Amino acid sequence: MLVLPPELTHEQASASLRMLLQGLKAHRDPALVVDAAALTSFDSSALAVLLECRRAALSEGKSFSVKSLPASLASLAGLYGISELLPTAA
């Protein structure tokens, strides 16, 4: 499981994405879960980071899901019409 930082705005997006992609390379499980429980401060850049992480996971043959996505970020994903691309982890 990979973990998002407490803050993920435009300022942190590039560094956060690099961290997640490095974690993905070391991740051996066929199912990638990103834990968003710590995420308290974010903007739409968080969605861009999650979508790029999803793309990378799928390109490596892994499934992708998000655990504990904050309700307001899930709402933003719904507004953008991308909710189905960020499935909830069991």
Side-chain angles (χ1 to χ4, degrees):
M1 183 179 309
L2 303 181
V3 179
L4 292 180
E7 185 174 355
L8 182 44
T9 61
H10 181 72
E11 281 186 27
Q12 298 85 18
S14 293
S16 293
L17 180 59
R18 274 193 306 275
M19 174 197 67
L20 289 169
L21 294 179
Q22 286 175 353
L24 175 61
K25 289 179 184 176
H27 191 76
R28 299 292 173 225
D29 196 304
L32 177 66
V33 177
V34 176
D35 186 354
L39 197 58
T40 56
S41 179
F42 51 84
D43 61 18
S44 61
S45 298
L47 293 175
V49 167
L50 286 169
L51 290 173
E52 181 59 21
C53 188
R54 175 188 182 272
R55 186 205 60 77
L58 295 178
S59 75
E60 292 194 18
K62 298 178 185 296
S63 64
F64 176 85
S65 61
V66 182
K67 178 181 175 185
S68 302
L69 188 67
S72 54
L73 190 56
S75 180
L76 189 59
L79 180 66
Y80 290 158
I82 60 168
S83 295
E84 67 279 354
L85 300 177
L86 302 173
T88 302

